[in-house]
């Protein structure tokens, strides 16, 4: 812009000024000339073109843009392709397979059937009643030649492909497709669908399931043999690895549960729900880590029944009965002693009897015998 010679030079208004940035002149934000124009400034005696020199913006201006009103610039990140987990075959990573709506298969099959009927009419092999029902004119009856057989083959192939590829997708089930021993994808769609009939398919259940094991061997913290029945809640997470990685899911779960039981010290029967909960959490973590690489997900592993091994069950039963009997006897003796002491103390405090040491011992003995006999009679 040109400035008159008689007009004094004035400073441009400051647009952006805060504590996080330095002052930026207004004309620098909207300048069109990116290059420097040194030597073209306004002279002292006359007008000229005002081309300010480039201003070096420091890191305080460029790096900090808070409060300036300038929107930050974001680069669009290109998602990197998913990588399989370590130790897992890249060909066994679940991916969607191609499937069409069932209407496409029905339409193709209907067209194939219609083509076979028209070819039969063309060859004169269609019964007259069928031709009248279909309102077809009377054909010349050229017979079955090479063109008719080619039409039959094309229409039949179309009908077989259309009707043969129809499948019913259900909620909680998926179709795993494979061709020549290679995984081709998984179909998760529900309803009537069309899948290429030339590709073998296998239906797999992806619902939440539970499995109760037979009594498995285990040991407690003291090394005593136990038998544990475990309830496992699980489901298929990756259909490719679950269908093609292992043959029998329940057999694999059994092996993983047995391996986990060998590393977890269980508590003996009757130790309370807290011990069973802690053992279940430890078993869940171990089994979930083992079955993860084969596409299974374990939600919970809980001991359903814990009992002693048959070879030591009778001995442990006798031991438990002896412990309970000893505990009962100790409790009864403590109760009798407390009752005798309370009785003797109350008699002495109230002055009902004046006892020396010998009489006190006789009274204590008689009271103990009486209380024990009364407790025995009460227990009967």
């Amino acid at each position: 812009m040109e400035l008159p010679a008689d007009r004094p030079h004035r400073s441009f208004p400051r647009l952006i000024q805060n504590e996080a940035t330095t002052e930026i002149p207004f004309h620098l934000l909207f300048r069109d000339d990116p290059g420097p124009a040194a030597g073209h400034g306004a002279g002292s005696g006359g007008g000229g073109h005002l081309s300010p020199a480039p201003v070096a913006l420091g890191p305080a201006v460029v790096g900090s843009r808070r409060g300036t009103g300038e929107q930050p610039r974001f680069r669009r990140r290109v998602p990197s392709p998913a990588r399989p987990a370590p130790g897992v075959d890249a060909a066994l990573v679940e991916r969607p397979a191609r499937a069409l709506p069932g209407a496409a298969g029905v339409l193709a099959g209907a067209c194939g059937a219609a083509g076979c009927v028209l070819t039969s009419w063309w060859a004169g092999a269609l019964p007259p009643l069928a031709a009248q029902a279909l309102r077809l004119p009377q054909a010349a009856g050229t017979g079955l030649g090479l063109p008719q057989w080619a039409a039959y083959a094309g229409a039949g192939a179309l009908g077989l492909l259309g009707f043969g590829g129809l499948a019913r997708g259900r909620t909680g089930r998926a179709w795993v497709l494979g061709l020549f021993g290679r995984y081709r994808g998984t179909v998760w769609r529900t309803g009537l669908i069309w899948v290429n009939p030339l590709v073998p398919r296998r239906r797999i259940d992806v619902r939440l399931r539970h499995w109760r094991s037979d009594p498995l061997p285990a040991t407690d913290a003291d090394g005593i043999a136990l038998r544990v029945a475990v309830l496992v809640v699980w489901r298929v997470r990756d259909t490719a690895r679950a269908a093609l990685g292992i043959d029998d899911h329940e057999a694999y779960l059994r092996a993983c549960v047995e391996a986990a039981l060998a590393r977890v010290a269980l508590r003996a029967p009757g130790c309370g729900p807290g011990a069973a909960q802690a053992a279940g959490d430890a078993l869940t973590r171990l089994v979930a880590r083992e079955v993860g690489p084969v596409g299974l997900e374990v939600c919970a592993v809980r001991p359903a029944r814990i009992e002693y091994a048959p070879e030591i069950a009778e001995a442990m039963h006798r031991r438990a009965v002896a412990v309970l009997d000893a505990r009962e006897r100790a409790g009864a003796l403590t109760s009798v002693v407390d009752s005798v002491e309370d009785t003797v103390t109350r008699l002495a405090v109230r002055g009902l009897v004046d006892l020396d040491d010998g009489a006190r011992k006789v009274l204590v003995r008689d009271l103990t015998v009486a209380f024990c006999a009364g407790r025995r009679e009460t227990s009967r």
Side-chain angles (χ1 to χ4, degrees):
M1 56 183 301
E2 297 182 359
L3 296 177
D6 56 347
R7 186 175 180 178
H9 177 74
R10 62 182 180 86
S11 60
F12 291 93
R14 304 295 181 181
L15 178 64
I16 303 174
Q17 180 178 4
N18 57 18
E19 66 278 1
T21 60
T22 58
E23 298 179 3
I24 302 178
F26 181 80
H27 65 282
L28 290 181
L29 297 177
F30 301 94
R31 111 185 130 172
D32 296 326
D33 185 12
H40 292 81
S44 57
H49 295 283
L50 181 61
S51 299
V55 179
L57 302 179
V61 179
V62 178
S64 177
R65 297 179 176 178
R66 296 181 179 177
T68 62
E70 183 178 355
Q71 297 295 330
R73 300 184 181 93
F74 297 99
R75 282 188 174 184
R76 183 180 179 182
R77 299 181 60 183
V78 180
S80 58
R83 297 182 179 180
V88 178
D89 188 5
L92 293 183
V93 177
E94 184 181 273
R95 59 182 181 271
R98 295 180 180 178
L100 298 178
V106 173
L107 180 61
C111 291
C116 291
V117 172
L118 292 177
T119 304
S120 300
W121 171 78
W122 179 26
L126 190 66
L129 294 178
Q132 291 178 3
L134 297 175
R135 297 181 180 180
L136 296 176
Q138 187 174 4
T142 58
L144 293 176
L146 183 60
Q148 286 78 12
W149 285 115
Y152 267 129
L158 181 61
L160 290 177
L161 286 176
F163 290 126
L166 293 177
R168 183 176 61 174
R170 297 182 179 180
T171 303
R173 290 179 174 85
W175 293 97
V176 178
L177 308 183
L179 184 61
F180 301 116
R182 187 176 180 181
Y183 173 67
R184 289 297 182 181
T186 302
V187 179
W188 289 87
R189 300 180 60 174
T190 58
L192 188 63
I193 59 176
W194 183 87
V195 183
N196 188 356
L198 301 179
V199 179
R201 56 198 179 206
R202 174 182 175 185
R203 187 165 60 182
I204 186 169
D205 193 349
V206 295
R207 295 175 297 177
L208 195 67
R209 289 182 277 178
H210 69 278
W211 171 72
R212 184 186 177 97
S213 69
D214 298 330
L216 302 175
T219 57
D220 64 357
D222 299 328
I224 299 176
L226 301 174
R227 288 293 182 270
V228 184
V230 179
L231 178 65
V232 182
V233 181
W234 63 284
R235 70 181 183 92
V236 173
R237 183 187 58 180
D238 192 306
T239 56
R241 284 182 282 174
L244 306 177
I246 55 177
D247 293 331
D248 192 348
H249 297 150
E250 293 189 359
Y252 187 76
L253 281 175
R254 178 186 175 90
C256 292
V257 169
E258 289 182 352
L261 286 174
R263 289 180 284 175
V264 175
L266 301 177
R267 300 294 298 272
C271 291
Q277 180 69 26
D281 294 341
L283 289 174
T284 302
R285 290 192 296 269
L286 291 176
V287 177
R289 187 168 54 193
E290 293 293 334
V291 302
V294 296
L296 303 182
E297 180 181 2
V298 171
C299 301
V301 179
R302 293 289 180 263
R305 188 176 72 250
I306 302 177
E307 57 187 13
Y308 291 107
E311 59 271 13
I312 64 170
E314 185 177 356
M316 296 305 298
H317 178 69
R318 290 197 301 266
R319 177 183 175 184
V321 171
V323 170
L324 290 176
D325 186 62
R327 189 179 302 170
E328 180 67 21
R329 288 176 180 274
L333 181 59
T334 302
S335 177
V336 168
V337 171
D338 292 340
S339 300
V340 170
E341 181 183 6
D342 183 63
T343 302
V344 174
T345 302
R346 293 176 66 182
L347 290 174
V349 168
R350 294 186 181 185
L352 299 178
V353 293
D354 188 8
L355 303 174
D356 55 4
D357 293 340
R360 182 184 294 275
K361 292 180 181 179
V362 174
L363 179 61
V364 169
R365 183 190 61 191
D366 295 341
L367 288 175
T368 302
V369 173
F371 284 156
C372 288
R375 191 177 186 88
R376 190 178 299 112
E377 291 293 336
T378 305
S379 63
R380 288 179 183 177

